[in-house]
Every structure is written in structure tokens, then in C-alpha cells.
Amino acid sequence: MSTTILPDHRARTAYFGGLAANRPVTDVIADQLSPLTSTGAKALARCGRYSIGSAPIQLLRRSKGRVYARGVKWCASRYCPTCQPRIMASLAWKRAERARAAKAAGYGISFYSVDVPDCGPGELHAQLDLLLETFRATLPAPSRLPVTWVRAGLSDLIGADWNVEIDWNADTGEWHPHIHALVYRQSAWTPDALAFLNAQWPWAALTDAQEAELPEAAARYSVKAENPKPHLLSLFDLARLGLTDQVGEYLMAVQGRHLRSSSRKLGSLLGLQGDPEDADLLQELDRMEGDSLGQLTLSEWRRAW
């Protein structure tokens, strides 16, 4: 006999509808991921299917009406259409916290975006190599600043919080890999300093460094889960459309890569940690409180979606 009492039927229906819509997307990605890592593919396919321990699964509604299930084993995979948006939303909050603290400390903050030329099918792996190698070469570690940076007045560089974003351009049939970063220094960014930062990137038309007038908003944008431009498709869009060749190439290209990083020096100066692991971010979300929408047994949970 069911013991479920959920007072907000609309919220419950919308929540489980979203989970159900993610299942075919998960299946496509898990199928393409299996030849690369069978363990990762199995974890992805089983995401949310099991409870933690024997306690009932609790449904909570938090800010902005978002519903969350506590007591479920989520996979915490960056390839998961259920976990990844929540992970990135939590990371965005933490990056914004760092930007807010840096602004309060009087540090200069630049929103810095760099691209490499778009590339066709079969070329994403090599183009990601190029993007990451060029980024690391043109934005040096503060402890190893070249003389040119010192002469340009940037000896007070702190470091950068950055994130790689990979989209498929549906209009051109090409990959669009790029990086968004917040670059921190101990003094304000002047027009000359921003021009110098832009000049370091080999492709002049594919770089944009500007002072972050709204650092918290820039921080959240830098780690957004999906691109708001409709012609730029994410991994989940590709899976949803059944574009398995692109899904497979995406997964192959990003395997074993670190696609984001945060400045250790900034964290040390501000007394804040860097980017937590994805599983840690989900655990933090699991501990957050909210308004209870009721509870379900494992069998009720599985039937619901």
C-alpha cells in the first residue's frame, strides 16, 4: 500500500517528467561511452535508480521552485543530463562567491574569452589540444611570469578561474571549442592591460578581454551548463537529436581531460577553496534544506519515472 503524500502534484509531475525526458538522452550517451569506459557507462545508466540505505526518498522544493530528491544515488558524471546541470549550477554559485570576495578585496577582474578556429567532424580532439596548450602558454602561472608581463605592469597577476565549453554549431556543421575565464590581479584592469592580454592570443579575432563590471554574473556565465544560443548544441542536445557520431566524438575528445580549473593563489588569498569534485558538489546539494513535498519508497520512486 502506498504511503506517498505529495501536496504539490504539479511540482511532482514536472520533476518526474524532466527525469523521464532525460532517460533516452542518458541511454544514447551511455551507449557511446561504453567502449571508452564500461564502468562509467554503467554508472551513468544506473543514475538515480537506487536509494541510499533503507530510508525513504525525500522530495524537497528549494529556491525558484526547484525540486530535488534526497537519498538517491546520483552518478555525478559530467556526461549525465540529470547530474551535470545541477553540478554546474552549484559550481556557478561557488565561482560567483570567489568573484564577490575578490571584488570586495579590491582585486581587478577581467572576463576573458578565447576561441580557436572552429573545426569539422573528426578534428575535435586535435583542436582541444590546440586550445588548451595555447591557453596555458598565453596565460602563464603567476610564479613564472615572463619579463614581457612584468614590463606591461602585470607583475601582480593572481591567476584565473576558467572553464572549457564545447558546442556543435548546427548552422555550419562544425565544433566550436572555447574557454571562458575570470582573470584576477591585485590592481584594477586598465585598457592597456586588457589590450596586452588580448594581444597574447594568436588569433586576434577570437579573443575578448574586458573588465568584469558584474563579476558574479560573469562567474556564473563562465560555467553555464548549456549555451543560450539555439544553434550551438551541447552534448545533451546532440544526444537528444540522435546525432550519435557527434556524441561519440565529443566523448572521445574529452576523455581524461581537465576541462576547468580555479586559481589556487586566489583561493589562498581569499581563504576560499578551489573547484570541488563533481561528487562533492552533489553531496553539498543533498545536504541543503527545502520545503518537503513528501517521501517515496524505492519501488514508488522507480514507478514514478
Side-chain angles (χ1 to χ4, degrees), residues 62 90 93-94 273 276 279-288:
R62 295 181 179 148
S90 183
W93 184 88
K94 290 188 172 295
Q273 67 174 19
D280 295 333
L281 287 166
L282 280 186
Q283 287 177 5
E284 288 188 22
L285 285 174
D286 196 51
R287 290 191 292 267
M288 293 174 62

Side-chain angles (χ1 to χ4, degrees), residues 8-295:
D8 193 330
H9 179 74
R10 181 179 298 178
R12 182 195 67 174
T13 300
Y15 179 67
F16 285 113
L19 290 180
N22 284 339
R23 292 303 301 174
V25 176
T26 298
D27 291 342
V28 169
I29 296 173
D31 183 62
Q32 294 296 316
L33 188 62
S34 184
L36 304 175
T37 165
S38 59
T39 301
K42 289 178 181 177
L44 180 60
R46 295 172 180 170
C47 180
R49 303 301 292 173
Y50 298 93
S51 59
I52 299 173
S54 58
I57 297 167
Q58 296 179 324
L59 286 187
L60 303 173
R61 181 168 54 192
R62 295 181 179 148
S63 62
K64 299 182 180 179
R66 295 190 180 96
V67 177
Y68 186 79
R70 174 182 290 167
V72 177
K73 292 182 180 179
W74 303 111
C75 69
S77 170
R78 62 182 176 183
Y79 311 128
C80 177
T82 299
C83 292
Q84 176 68 349
R86 295 205 303 266
I87 289 169
M88 297 305 280
S90 183
L91 180 63
W93 184 88
K94 290 188 172 295
R95 288 277 181 97
E97 180 185 31
R98 288 164 64 88
R100 181 167 58 252
K103 182 179 180 180
Y107 297 156
I109 309 172
S110 168
F111 183 62
Y112 184 45
S113 297
V114 290
D115 302 9
V116 288
D118 289 356
C119 63
E123 299 176 345
L124 179 58
H125 192 284
Q127 208 69 348
L128 269 182
D129 284 342
L130 178 63
L131 175 65
L132 290 167
E133 290 169 3
T134 307
F135 183 75
R136 294 186 180 108
T138 56
L139 191 64
S143 59
R144 298 191 300 273
L145 279 180
V147 174
T148 52
W149 283 70
V150 176
R151 290 175 178 171
L154 286 164
S155 59
D156 64 347
L157 182 71
I158 296 173
D161 291 352
W162 57 270
N163 181 64
V164 174
E165 188 175 317
I166 304 168
D167 302 309
W168 173 260
N169 190 324
D171 289 345
T172 64
E174 293 179 308
W175 291 107
H176 176 55
H178 53 288
I179 290 176
H180 295 302
L182 266 69
V183 185
Y184 296 91
R185 60 179 302 199
Q186 293 183 4
S187 58
W189 283 94
T190 64
D192 286 346
L194 292 170
F196 177 86
L197 182 57
N198 274 324
Q200 306 312 298
W201 196 247
W203 299 275
L206 301 179
T207 177
D208 182 23
Q210 53 187 289
E211 184 179 6
E213 296 182 358
L214 300 172
E216 294 177 53
R220 287 190 289 268
Y221 183 86
S222 71
V223 289
K224 62 187 182 301
E226 300 208 3
N227 200 308
K229 298 176 182 177
H231 68 289
L232 296 179
L233 307 182
S234 70
L235 169 66
F236 306 131
D237 294 327
L238 296 171
R240 196 170 290 113
L241 293 170
L243 300 176
T244 55
D245 288 346
Q246 286 88 341
V247 170
E249 183 178 359
Y250 181 107
L251 296 173
M252 179 72 74
V254 302
Q255 281 297 296
R257 295 186 191 268
H258 293 289
L259 298 180
R260 68 175 192 245
S261 184
S262 56
S263 168
R264 292 183 180 180
K265 183 175 180 180
L266 178 68
S268 177
L269 289 170
L270 298 175
L272 298 173
Q273 67 174 19
D275 293 349
E277 296 296 324
D278 291 351
D280 295 333
L281 287 166
L282 280 186
Q283 287 177 5
E284 288 188 22
L285 285 174
D286 196 51
R287 290 191 292 267
M288 293 174 62
E289 296 301 326
D291 297 327
S292 176
L293 294 180
Q295 62 186 33

